[in-house]
Amino acid sequence: MGIEAEPFAVRVIEAPPPPPVGSGAVEFEARVPPSGHLTLVPNSQKTAVTPAMAGRTLTIWADQRSIHLTLDGHLVKTVPSRLTEENLRWLTMRGARPAGPPPAAPALPRSNGKTGRPTVPAGQAVEVDRLVHRDGLISLKGEEYQVSNSFAGRRITLRLDGHLMHAIADETLIGTWPCPVSRGQLSSLRGARTASGRLPAPALLAGAMRVQRRVSDSGRIMVTSQRLKLGKKNAGKLVTVIIADTHFRILHEGEEIAVKERRNPGPISKIRVVSKREDSQRASSIS
């Protein structure tokens, strides 16, 4: 009596699917080596972080425009991507997963595909992240700027548009200065990326006050006996003026339209209050 051989099954191991068409972004983890230099795809994409992060595990978000490095949900840096569709597929074959939404605004576009220099589109602001030193100073292009000591040891965001530079922390504006970098040099800043969203409202610091003014038909307002020219394009707008120690910050519907120097930075003893009736009459005379 013969013995029947038991059938055997062959398990086929299929390769992971490629990234979704139209998305292409992938995520994966990478441990920082002692040198701080990370090779994401051999011969295609490298980047570096401070050697002080050696041994930490970063999450890498990557597509064909941007690469974002995050640690415990906090952005470490953003760099332009040199990856191709084939590179992303290669990463997927090695365990990368389809990515969710990007953790930060995209890197600056390049002038000639992946080989050109980063460029800043007309009217676009850029953001960079910088560490606040223990004395409350941040550095950019060899210049130092003072923010609160309470931010020492933290990375904050600097937003630059070629005219003004704003410091942002915890989704709050914490400082504004004349921009130390010309518009043509914005793309050369280390870690520069496209600015995201509107400029946040400032924290109301000790000694600062808020008042509202209706812009006249000549494009001017008056605050603490100082005339501020905002331009005729702002005529009729109800603006909020934040009075700080050294400057006025003028907002319209939460968006900054001007920063003006205070000529008399002494204490404020009197603020003129305009009634709703007077304000409406003034508005009707403008229109």
Side-chain angles (χ1 to χ4, degrees), residues 78-80 107-111 116-121 124-128 130 141 160-162 179 181-194:
T78 294
V79 296
L108 298 177
R110 292 182 179 272
S111 58
R117 295 175 58 84
T119 61
V120 180
Q124 177 67 60
V126 304
E127 291 178 345
V128 297
R130 293 295 184 266
K141 289 290 185 179
L160 307 96
D161 61 8
C179 188
V181 181
S182 68
R183 182 156 192 87
Q185 295 178 316
L186 291 177
S187 62
S188 67
L189 291 173
R190 174 173 51 87
R193 61 182 182 271
T194 305

Short mmCIF file of all heavy atoms in Angstrom, two decimals, residues 78-80 107-111 116-121 124-128 130 141 160-162 179 181-194:
data_model
loop_
_atom_site.label_atom_id
_atom_site.label_comp_id
_atom_site.label_asym_id
_atom_site.label_seq_id
_atom_site.Cartn_x
_atom_site.Cartn_y
_atom_site.Cartn_z
N THR A 78 14.45 71.46 7.37
CA THR A 78 13.86 71.17 6.06
C THR A 78 14.91 71.45 5.01
O THR A 78 15.57 72.50 5.05
CB THR A 78 12.62 72.04 5.80
OG1 THR A 78 11.59 71.70 6.74
CG2 THR A 78 12.09 71.85 4.39
N VAL A 79 15.10 70.53 4.07
CA VAL A 79 16.06 70.72 3.00
C VAL A 79 15.40 70.40 1.67
O VAL A 79 14.44 69.62 1.61
CB VAL A 79 17.31 69.81 3.19
CG1 VAL A 79 18.06 70.19 4.46
CG2 VAL A 79 16.92 68.34 3.23
N PRO A 80 15.89 71.01 0.58
CA PRO A 80 15.36 70.67 -0.74
C PRO A 80 15.65 69.21 -1.09
O PRO A 80 16.69 68.66 -0.73
CB PRO A 80 16.10 71.62 -1.68
CG PRO A 80 16.59 72.73 -0.82
CD PRO A 80 16.88 72.10 0.51
N ALA A 107 10.15 73.03 1.06
CA ALA A 107 11.41 73.70 0.78
C ALA A 107 11.24 74.65 -0.41
O ALA A 107 10.27 74.54 -1.17
CB ALA A 107 12.50 72.67 0.49
N LEU A 108 12.19 75.55 -0.56
CA LEU A 108 12.12 76.49 -1.68
C LEU A 108 12.28 75.74 -3.00
O LEU A 108 13.07 74.79 -3.10
CB LEU A 108 13.22 77.54 -1.56
CG LEU A 108 13.16 78.44 -0.32
CD1 LEU A 108 14.36 79.38 -0.30
CD2 LEU A 108 11.87 79.24 -0.29
N PRO A 109 11.53 76.15 -4.03
CA PRO A 109 11.69 75.50 -5.34
C PRO A 109 13.05 75.83 -5.94
O PRO A 109 13.67 76.85 -5.60
CB PRO A 109 10.55 76.10 -6.17
CG PRO A 109 10.28 77.43 -5.53
CD PRO A 109 10.54 77.23 -4.06
N ARG A 110 13.52 74.98 -6.84
CA ARG A 110 14.80 75.22 -7.51
C ARG A 110 14.57 75.82 -8.89
O ARG A 110 13.56 75.55 -9.54
CB ARG A 110 15.60 73.92 -7.62
CG ARG A 110 16.09 73.40 -6.26
CD ARG A 110 16.91 72.13 -6.43
NE ARG A 110 17.40 71.62 -5.15
CZ ARG A 110 18.55 72.00 -4.59
NH1 ARG A 110 19.32 72.87 -5.21
NH2 ARG A 110 18.93 71.50 -3.43
N SER A 111 15.54 76.61 -9.33
CA SER A 111 15.38 77.34 -10.59
C SER A 111 15.45 76.43 -11.80
O SER A 111 14.91 76.73 -12.84
CB SER A 111 16.46 78.43 -10.70
OG SER A 111 17.76 77.84 -10.62
N GLY A 116 19.26 73.21 -10.05
CA GLY A 116 19.43 74.65 -9.91
C GLY A 116 19.47 75.09 -8.47
O GLY A 116 19.31 74.32 -7.53
N ARG A 117 19.68 76.39 -8.28
CA ARG A 117 19.73 76.97 -6.94
C ARG A 117 18.31 77.22 -6.44
O ARG A 117 17.40 77.51 -7.23
CB ARG A 117 20.50 78.29 -6.97
CG ARG A 117 21.97 78.13 -7.32
CD ARG A 117 22.64 79.49 -7.43
NE ARG A 117 22.51 80.24 -6.20
CZ ARG A 117 23.33 80.12 -5.16
NH1 ARG A 117 24.33 79.26 -5.22
NH2 ARG A 117 23.17 80.85 -4.07
N PRO A 118 18.10 77.14 -5.11
CA PRO A 118 16.77 77.48 -4.57
C PRO A 118 16.40 78.93 -4.91
O PRO A 118 17.26 79.82 -4.94
CB PRO A 118 16.96 77.28 -3.06
CG PRO A 118 18.11 76.35 -2.93
CD PRO A 118 19.02 76.68 -4.07
N THR A 119 15.13 79.16 -5.17
CA THR A 119 14.66 80.50 -5.51
C THR A 119 13.48 80.86 -4.62
O THR A 119 12.78 79.99 -4.09
CB THR A 119 14.22 80.58 -6.98
OG1 THR A 119 13.15 79.64 -7.20
CG2 THR A 119 15.37 80.24 -7.91
N VAL A 120 13.26 82.16 -4.45
CA VAL A 120 12.13 82.66 -3.68
C VAL A 120 11.17 83.34 -4.65
O VAL A 120 11.52 84.37 -5.25
CB VAL A 120 12.57 83.66 -2.59
CG1 VAL A 120 11.38 84.17 -1.81
CG2 VAL A 120 13.59 83.01 -1.65
N PRO A 121 9.97 82.81 -4.85
CA PRO A 121 9.01 83.45 -5.75
C PRO A 121 8.68 84.87 -5.30
O PRO A 121 8.76 85.20 -4.11
CB PRO A 121 7.77 82.53 -5.66
CG PRO A 121 8.30 81.21 -5.18
CD PRO A 121 9.46 81.55 -4.28
N GLN A 124 6.90 86.14 -1.90
CA GLN A 124 6.91 85.03 -0.95
C GLN A 124 7.90 85.30 0.18
O GLN A 124 9.02 85.73 -0.07
CB GLN A 124 7.27 83.73 -1.66
CG GLN A 124 7.37 82.52 -0.77
CD GLN A 124 6.04 82.11 -0.20
OE1 GLN A 124 5.11 81.80 -0.94
NE2 GLN A 124 5.92 82.14 1.11
N ALA A 125 7.49 85.05 1.41
CA ALA A 125 8.41 85.13 2.55
C ALA A 125 9.00 83.75 2.80
O ALA A 125 8.48 82.74 2.33
CB ALA A 125 7.67 85.62 3.79
N VAL A 126 10.11 83.70 3.54
CA VAL A 126 10.73 82.43 3.89
C VAL A 126 10.83 82.31 5.41
O VAL A 126 10.75 83.31 6.13
CB VAL A 126 12.14 82.28 3.27
CG1 VAL A 126 12.08 82.45 1.76
CG2 VAL A 126 13.12 83.27 3.88
N GLU A 127 10.99 81.08 5.88
CA GLU A 127 11.17 80.82 7.30
C GLU A 127 12.42 79.99 7.52
O GLU A 127 12.75 79.13 6.71
CB GLU A 127 9.96 80.06 7.86
CG GLU A 127 8.68 80.88 7.90
CD GLU A 127 7.50 80.09 8.43
OE1 GLU A 127 7.58 78.84 8.49
OE2 GLU A 127 6.47 80.72 8.77
N VAL A 128 13.11 80.27 8.62
CA VAL A 128 14.24 79.46 9.07
C VAL A 128 14.09 79.26 10.57
O VAL A 128 13.43 80.05 11.25
CB VAL A 128 15.60 80.12 8.75
CG1 VAL A 128 15.80 80.27 7.26
CG2 VAL A 128 15.72 81.48 9.44
N ARG A 130 16.07 78.87 14.25
CA ARG A 130 17.33 79.17 14.91
C ARG A 130 17.20 78.92 16.40
O ARG A 130 16.12 79.10 16.99
CB ARG A 130 17.76 80.62 14.65
CG ARG A 130 18.13 80.92 13.21
CD ARG A 130 19.37 80.16 12.76
NE ARG A 130 19.80 80.50 11.42
CZ ARG A 130 19.44 79.84 10.33
NH1 ARG A 130 18.62 78.80 10.43
NH2 ARG A 130 19.90 80.18 9.14
N LYS A 141 23.22 85.66 10.13
CA LYS A 141 24.16 86.38 9.27
C LYS A 141 25.12 87.25 10.08
O LYS A 141 25.42 88.39 9.70
CB LYS A 141 23.40 87.24 8.25
CG LYS A 141 22.70 86.46 7.15
CD LYS A 141 23.72 85.84 6.20
CE LYS A 141 23.06 85.16 5.02
NZ LYS A 141 24.03 84.58 4.08
N LEU A 160 11.18 85.95 7.22
CA LEU A 160 11.82 87.07 6.55
C LEU A 160 11.20 87.29 5.18
O LEU A 160 10.93 86.34 4.45
CB LEU A 160 13.32 86.84 6.38
CG LEU A 160 14.13 86.47 7.64
CD1 LEU A 160 14.27 84.95 7.73
CD2 LEU A 160 15.50 87.11 7.63
N ASP A 161 10.99 88.60 4.84
CA ASP A 161 10.44 88.91 3.52
C ASP A 161 11.29 89.91 2.75
O ASP A 161 10.86 90.42 1.71
CB ASP A 161 9.00 89.44 3.66
CG ASP A 161 8.93 90.73 4.48
OD1 ASP A 161 9.99 91.30 4.81
OD2 ASP A 161 7.80 91.16 4.78
N GLY A 162 12.50 90.21 3.26
CA GLY A 162 13.36 91.19 2.60
C GLY A 162 13.20 92.58 3.16
O GLY A 162 14.05 93.45 2.94
N CYS A 179 14.75 93.66 8.24
CA CYS A 179 15.32 92.42 7.73
C CYS A 179 16.82 92.59 7.45
O CYS A 179 17.21 93.50 6.70
CB CYS A 179 14.60 91.98 6.46
SG CYS A 179 15.08 90.33 5.90
N VAL A 181 18.67 90.67 5.74
CA VAL A 181 19.02 89.97 4.51
C VAL A 181 18.20 90.55 3.36
O VAL A 181 16.98 90.71 3.48
CB VAL A 181 18.75 88.45 4.63
CG1 VAL A 181 19.15 87.72 3.36
CG2 VAL A 181 19.50 87.88 5.83
N SER A 182 18.86 90.90 2.26
CA SER A 182 18.13 91.41 1.11
C SER A 182 17.28 90.30 0.49
O SER A 182 17.55 89.11 0.70
CB SER A 182 19.10 91.96 0.06
OG SER A 182 19.86 90.91 -0.51
N ARG A 183 16.30 90.70 -0.28
CA ARG A 183 15.41 89.70 -0.88
C ARG A 183 16.18 88.73 -1.76
O ARG A 183 15.89 87.54 -1.81
CB ARG A 183 14.30 90.40 -1.67
CG ARG A 183 13.33 89.42 -2.27
CD ARG A 183 11.98 90.02 -2.54
NE ARG A 183 11.05 88.94 -2.84
CZ ARG A 183 10.37 88.26 -1.94
NH1 ARG A 183 10.49 88.57 -0.67
NH2 ARG A 183 9.57 87.28 -2.28
N GLY A 184 17.19 89.21 -2.44
CA GLY A 184 17.97 88.35 -3.32
C GLY A 184 18.80 87.32 -2.59
O GLY A 184 19.26 86.35 -3.21
N GLN A 185 19.00 87.51 -1.28
CA GLN A 185 19.82 86.58 -0.50
C GLN A 185 18.99 85.63 0.35
O GLN A 185 19.54 84.76 1.03
CB GLN A 185 20.77 87.36 0.42
CG GLN A 185 21.80 88.19 -0.31
CD GLN A 185 22.66 88.98 0.66
OE1 GLN A 185 22.16 89.57 1.61
NE2 GLN A 185 23.96 88.98 0.42
N LEU A 186 17.66 85.75 0.33
CA LEU A 186 16.83 84.91 1.19
C LEU A 186 17.02 83.43 0.91
O LEU A 186 17.04 82.61 1.82
CB LEU A 186 15.35 85.28 1.01
CG LEU A 186 14.91 86.65 1.54
CD1 LEU A 186 13.43 86.90 1.23
CD2 LEU A 186 15.14 86.76 3.04
N SER A 187 17.19 83.09 -0.37
CA SER A 187 17.30 81.66 -0.71
C SER A 187 18.60 81.04 -0.23
O SER A 187 18.73 79.82 -0.18
CB SER A 187 17.17 81.48 -2.23
OG SER A 187 18.21 82.16 -2.90
N SER A 188 19.59 81.88 0.14
CA SER A 188 20.88 81.35 0.59
C SER A 188 20.91 81.05 2.08
O SER A 188 21.90 80.51 2.58
CB SER A 188 22.00 82.35 0.26
OG SER A 188 21.86 83.54 1.03
N LEU A 189 19.85 81.39 2.81
CA LEU A 189 19.82 81.13 4.24
C LEU A 189 19.77 79.64 4.53
O LEU A 189 19.03 78.89 3.89
CB LEU A 189 18.60 81.81 4.88
CG LEU A 189 18.62 83.35 4.93
CD1 LEU A 189 17.28 83.87 5.42
CD2 LEU A 189 19.74 83.85 5.82
N ARG A 190 20.55 79.21 5.49
CA ARG A 190 20.58 77.79 5.86
C ARG A 190 19.20 77.36 6.37
O ARG A 190 18.65 77.95 7.28
CB ARG A 190 21.64 77.57 6.95
CG ARG A 190 21.68 76.17 7.52
CD ARG A 190 22.86 76.00 8.45
NE ARG A 190 22.94 77.05 9.45
CZ ARG A 190 22.31 77.03 10.62
NH1 ARG A 190 21.53 76.00 10.93
NH2 ARG A 190 22.45 78.01 11.49
N GLY A 191 18.66 76.30 5.76
CA GLY A 191 17.38 75.75 6.21
C GLY A 191 16.17 76.53 5.76
O GLY A 191 15.07 76.31 6.27
N ALA A 192 16.32 77.44 4.79
CA ALA A 192 15.18 78.26 4.35
C ALA A 192 14.09 77.40 3.72
O ALA A 192 14.37 76.47 2.97
CB ALA A 192 15.65 79.33 3.37
N ARG A 193 12.86 77.71 4.05
CA ARG A 193 11.70 77.03 3.49
C ARG A 193 10.62 78.06 3.21
O ARG A 193 10.67 79.19 3.70
CB ARG A 193 11.18 75.96 4.45
CG ARG A 193 10.72 76.50 5.79
CD ARG A 193 10.25 75.40 6.72
NE ARG A 193 9.76 75.94 8.00
CZ ARG A 193 10.52 76.15 9.05
NH1 ARG A 193 11.82 75.86 9.00
NH2 ARG A 193 9.99 76.66 10.16
N THR A 194 9.62 77.67 2.44
CA THR A 194 8.50 78.56 2.14
C THR A 194 7.74 78.88 3.43
O THR A 194 7.45 78.00 4.23
CB THR A 194 7.55 77.88 1.14
OG1 THR A 194 8.30 77.49 -0.01
CG2 THR A 194 6.44 78.84 0.72
#
